[in-house]
PDB file of all heavy atoms in Angstrom:
ATOM      1  N   PHE A 403      61.547 -88.679 -13.527  1.00 97.00           N
ATOM      2  CA  PHE A 403      62.623 -89.387 -14.216  1.00 97.00           C
ATOM      3  C   PHE A 403      63.783 -89.678 -13.267  1.00 97.00           C
ATOM      4  O   PHE A 403      64.301 -90.805 -13.229  1.00 97.00           O
ATOM      5  CB  PHE A 403      63.103 -88.554 -15.401  1.00 97.00           C
ATOM      6  CG  PHE A 403      64.327 -89.101 -16.082  1.00 97.00           C
ATOM      7  CD1 PHE A 403      64.227 -90.127 -17.000  1.00 97.00           C
ATOM      8  CD2 PHE A 403      65.587 -88.591 -15.793  1.00 97.00           C
ATOM      9  CE1 PHE A 403      65.357 -90.643 -17.625  1.00 97.00           C
ATOM     10  CE2 PHE A 403      66.718 -89.093 -16.410  1.00 97.00           C
ATOM     11  CZ  PHE A 403      66.605 -90.121 -17.330  1.00 97.00           C
ATOM     12  N   VAL A 404      64.176 -88.676 -12.485  1.00 96.00           N
ATOM     13  CA  VAL A 404      65.305 -88.857 -11.554  1.00 96.00           C
ATOM     14  C   VAL A 404      64.968 -89.905 -10.503  1.00 96.00           C
ATOM     15  O   VAL A 404      65.782 -90.793 -10.201  1.00 96.00           O
ATOM     16  CB  VAL A 404      65.669 -87.509 -10.894  1.00 96.00           C
ATOM     17  CG1 VAL A 404      66.668 -87.722  -9.754  1.00 96.00           C
ATOM     18  CG2 VAL A 404      66.252 -86.552 -11.921  1.00 96.00           C
ATOM     19  N   VAL A 405      63.762 -89.845  -9.947  1.00 96.00           N
ATOM     20  CA  VAL A 405      63.384 -90.780  -8.890  1.00 96.00           C
ATOM     21  C   VAL A 405      63.225 -92.196  -9.441  1.00 96.00           C
ATOM     22  O   VAL A 405      63.642 -93.172  -8.811  1.00 96.00           O
ATOM     23  CB  VAL A 405      62.090 -90.313  -8.187  1.00 96.00           C
ATOM     24  CG1 VAL A 405      61.696 -91.299  -7.097  1.00 96.00           C
ATOM     25  CG2 VAL A 405      62.276 -88.929  -7.590  1.00 96.00           C
ATOM     26  N   VAL A 406      62.623 -92.332 -10.644  1.00 96.00           N
ATOM     27  CA  VAL A 406      62.492 -93.656 -11.258  1.00 96.00           C
ATOM     28  C   VAL A 406      63.876 -94.244 -11.539  1.00 96.00           C
ATOM     29  O   VAL A 406      64.109 -95.440 -11.313  1.00 96.00           O
ATOM     30  CB  VAL A 406      61.661 -93.567 -12.561  1.00 96.00           C
ATOM     31  CG1 VAL A 406      61.755 -94.870 -13.354  1.00 96.00           C
ATOM     32  CG2 VAL A 406      60.210 -93.281 -12.244  1.00 96.00           C
ATOM     33  N   ALA A 407      64.805 -93.413 -12.021  1.00 96.00           N
ATOM     34  CA  ALA A 407      66.162 -93.893 -12.275  1.00 96.00           C
ATOM     35  C   ALA A 407      66.817 -94.370 -10.976  1.00 96.00           C
ATOM     36  O   ALA A 407      67.506 -95.406 -10.953  1.00 96.00           O
ATOM     37  CB  ALA A 407      66.994 -92.790 -12.921  1.00 96.00           C
ATOM     38  N   TYR A 408      66.577 -93.646  -9.884  1.00 96.00           N
ATOM     39  CA  TYR A 408      67.146 -94.045  -8.593  1.00 96.00           C
ATOM     40  C   TYR A 408      66.585 -95.397  -8.153  1.00 96.00           C
ATOM     41  O   TYR A 408      67.340 -96.292  -7.756  1.00 96.00           O
ATOM     42  CB  TYR A 408      66.828 -92.972  -7.550  1.00 96.00           C
ATOM     43  CG  TYR A 408      67.187 -93.385  -6.138  1.00 96.00           C
ATOM     44  CD1 TYR A 408      68.507 -93.335  -5.690  1.00 96.00           C
ATOM     45  CD2 TYR A 408      66.207 -93.860  -5.258  1.00 96.00           C
ATOM     46  CE1 TYR A 408      68.838 -93.725  -4.400  1.00 96.00           C
ATOM     47  CE2 TYR A 408      66.528 -94.244  -3.978  1.00 96.00           C
ATOM     48  CZ  TYR A 408      67.844 -94.184  -3.552  1.00 96.00           C
ATOM     49  OH  TYR A 408      68.167 -94.585  -2.269  1.00 96.00           O
ATOM     50  N   TYR A 409      65.267 -95.553  -8.226  1.00 96.00           N
ATOM     51  CA  TYR A 409      64.654 -96.806  -7.808  1.00 96.00           C
ATOM     52  C   TYR A 409      64.980 -97.943  -8.769  1.00 96.00           C
ATOM     53  O   TYR A 409      64.972 -99.124  -8.371  1.00 96.00           O
ATOM     54  CB  TYR A 409      63.139 -96.653  -7.680  1.00 96.00           C
ATOM     55  CG  TYR A 409      62.719 -95.925  -6.423  1.00 96.00           C
ATOM     56  CD1 TYR A 409      61.797 -94.885  -6.473  1.00 96.00           C
ATOM     57  CD2 TYR A 409      63.243 -96.277  -5.178  1.00 96.00           C
ATOM     58  CE1 TYR A 409      61.410 -94.210  -5.325  1.00 96.00           C
ATOM     59  CE2 TYR A 409      62.867 -95.613  -4.026  1.00 96.00           C
ATOM     60  CZ  TYR A 409      61.946 -94.573  -4.107  1.00 96.00           C
ATOM     61  OH  TYR A 409      61.576 -93.922  -2.962  1.00 96.00           O
ATOM     62  N   SER A 410      65.293 -97.614 -10.025  1.00 96.00           N
ATOM     63  CA  SER A 410      65.700 -98.651 -10.962  1.00 96.00           C
ATOM     64  C   SER A 410      67.007 -99.297 -10.521  1.00 96.00           C
ATOM     65  O   SER A 410      67.199-100.515 -10.672  1.00 96.00           O
ATOM     66  CB  SER A 410      65.857 -98.055 -12.361  1.00 96.00           C
ATOM     67  OG  SER A 410      66.368 -99.004 -13.263  1.00 96.00           O
ATOM     68  N   ARG A 411      67.903 -98.479  -9.967  1.00 94.00           N
ATOM     69  CA  ARG A 411      69.178 -99.025  -9.478  1.00 94.00           C
ATOM     70  C   ARG A 411      68.953 -99.992  -8.330  1.00 94.00           C
ATOM     71  O   ARG A 411      69.632-101.021  -8.222  1.00 94.00           O
ATOM     72  CB  ARG A 411      70.103 -97.890  -9.048  1.00 94.00           C
ATOM     73  CG  ARG A 411      70.607 -97.037 -10.206  1.00 94.00           C
ATOM     74  CD  ARG A 411      71.597 -95.989  -9.726  1.00 94.00           C
ATOM     75  NE  ARG A 411      72.104 -95.179 -10.815  1.00 94.00           N
ATOM     76  CZ  ARG A 411      73.086 -95.513 -11.627  1.00 94.00           C
ATOM     77  NH1 ARG A 411      73.680 -96.688 -11.464  1.00 94.00           N
ATOM     78  NH2 ARG A 411      73.485 -94.720 -12.596  1.00 94.00           N
ATOM     79  N   THR A 412      67.992 -99.668  -7.455  1.00 93.00           N
ATOM     80  CA  THR A 412      67.729-100.566  -6.320  1.00 93.00           C
ATOM     81  C   THR A 412      66.965-101.810  -6.754  1.00 93.00           C
ATOM     82  O   THR A 412      67.030-102.840  -6.078  1.00 93.00           O
ATOM     83  CB  THR A 412      66.918 -99.832  -5.233  1.00 93.00           C
ATOM     84  OG1 THR A 412      65.627 -99.491  -5.746  1.00 93.00           O
ATOM     85  CG2 THR A 412      67.630 -98.571  -4.781  1.00 93.00           C
ATOM     86  N   THR A 413      66.231-101.729  -7.871  1.00 94.00           N
ATOM     87  CA  THR A 413      65.438-102.869  -8.336  1.00 94.00           C
ATOM     88  C   THR A 413      66.215-103.758  -9.303  1.00 94.00           C
ATOM     89  O   THR A 413      66.222-104.986  -9.160  1.00 94.00           O
ATOM     90  CB  THR A 413      64.152-102.369  -9.034  1.00 94.00           C
ATOM     91  OG1 THR A 413      63.432-101.500  -8.159  1.00 94.00           O
ATOM     92  CG2 THR A 413      63.259-103.550  -9.417  1.00 94.00           C
ATOM     93  N   PHE A 414      66.867-103.146 -10.290  1.00 95.00           N
ATOM     94  CA  PHE A 414      67.567-103.910 -11.333  1.00 95.00           C
ATOM     95  C   PHE A 414      69.088-103.801 -11.246  1.00 95.00           C
ATOM     96  O   PHE A 414      69.792-104.445 -12.019  1.00 95.00           O
ATOM     97  CB  PHE A 414      67.119-103.430 -12.721  1.00 95.00           C
ATOM     98  CG  PHE A 414      65.647-103.557 -12.969  1.00 95.00           C
ATOM     99  CD1 PHE A 414      64.867-102.425 -13.181  1.00 95.00           C
ATOM    100  CD2 PHE A 414      65.031-104.800 -12.970  1.00 95.00           C
ATOM    101  CE1 PHE A 414      63.512-102.529 -13.406  1.00 95.00           C
ATOM    102  CE2 PHE A 414      63.674-104.919 -13.194  1.00 95.00           C
ATOM    103  CZ  PHE A 414      62.905-103.785 -13.410  1.00 95.00           C
ATOM    104  N   GLY A 415      69.574-102.942 -10.364  1.00 94.00           N
ATOM    105  CA  GLY A 415      71.014-102.766 -10.239  1.00 94.00           C
ATOM    106  C   GLY A 415      71.609-101.802 -11.242  1.00 94.00           C
ATOM    107  O   GLY A 415      72.830-101.618 -11.288  1.00 94.00           O
ATOM    108  N   ARG A 416      70.764-101.180 -12.073  1.00 95.00           N
ATOM    109  CA  ARG A 416      71.249-100.255 -13.102  1.00 95.00           C
ATOM    110  C   ARG A 416      70.073 -99.458 -13.644  1.00 95.00           C
ATOM    111  O   ARG A 416      68.911 -99.783 -13.381  1.00 95.00           O
ATOM    112  CB  ARG A 416      71.906-101.017 -14.244  1.00 95.00           C
ATOM    113  CG  ARG A 416      70.917-101.820 -15.093  1.00 95.00           C
ATOM    114  CD  ARG A 416      71.617-102.760 -16.044  1.00 95.00           C
ATOM    115  NE  ARG A 416      70.727-103.350 -17.048  1.00 95.00           N
ATOM    116  CZ  ARG A 416      69.863-104.331 -16.819  1.00 95.00           C
ATOM    117  NH1 ARG A 416      69.761-104.845 -15.588  1.00 95.00           N
ATOM    118  NH2 ARG A 416      69.114-104.816 -17.794  1.00 95.00           N
ATOM    119  N   VAL A 417      70.374 -98.430 -14.407  1.00 96.00           N
ATOM    120  CA  VAL A 417      69.362 -97.731 -15.199  1.00 96.00           C
ATOM    121  C   VAL A 417      69.458 -98.317 -16.609  1.00 96.00           C
ATOM    122  O   VAL A 417      70.434 -98.076 -17.317  1.00 96.00           O
ATOM    123  CB  VAL A 417      69.610 -96.211 -15.239  1.00 96.00           C
ATOM    124  CG1 VAL A 417      68.553 -95.538 -16.101  1.00 96.00           C
ATOM    125  CG2 VAL A 417      69.590 -95.634 -13.829  1.00 96.00           C
ATOM    126  N   PRO A 418      68.479 -99.110 -17.040  1.00 96.00           N
ATOM    127  CA  PRO A 418      68.588 -99.791 -18.331  1.00 96.00           C
ATOM    128  C   PRO A 418      68.689 -98.813 -19.500  1.00 96.00           C
ATOM    129  O   PRO A 418      67.858 -97.919 -19.646  1.00 96.00           O
ATOM    130  CB  PRO A 418      67.283-100.598 -18.414  1.00 96.00           C
ATOM    131  CG  PRO A 418      66.819-100.726 -17.003  1.00 96.00           C
ATOM    132  CD  PRO A 418      67.250 -99.458 -16.332  1.00 96.00           C
ATOM    133  N   ARG A 419      69.699 -98.981 -20.317  1.00 94.00           N
ATOM    134  CA  ARG A 419      69.846 -98.156 -21.509  1.00 94.00           C
ATOM    135  C   ARG A 419      70.833 -98.836 -22.454  1.00 94.00           C
ATOM    136  O   ARG A 419      71.790 -99.463 -22.011  1.00 94.00           O
ATOM    137  CB  ARG A 419      70.341 -96.748 -21.171  1.00 94.00           C
ATOM    138  CG  ARG A 419      71.738 -96.709 -20.576  1.00 94.00           C
ATOM    139  CD  ARG A 419      72.099 -95.344 -20.052  1.00 94.00           C
ATOM    140  NE  ARG A 419      73.445 -95.297 -19.518  1.00 94.00           N
ATOM    141  CZ  ARG A 419      73.805 -95.756 -18.314  1.00 94.00           C
ATOM    142  NH1 ARG A 419      72.904 -96.307 -17.516  1.00 94.00           N
ATOM    143  NH2 ARG A 419      75.054 -95.671 -17.905  1.00 94.00           N
TER     144      ARG A 419
END
Side-chain angles (χ1 to χ4, degrees):
F403 173 81
V404 170
V405 179
V406 168
Y408 171 79
Y409 283 132
S410 175
R411 291 184 179 278
T412 65
T413 305
F414 301 116
R416 70 191 191 284
V417 179
R419 65 189 182 281

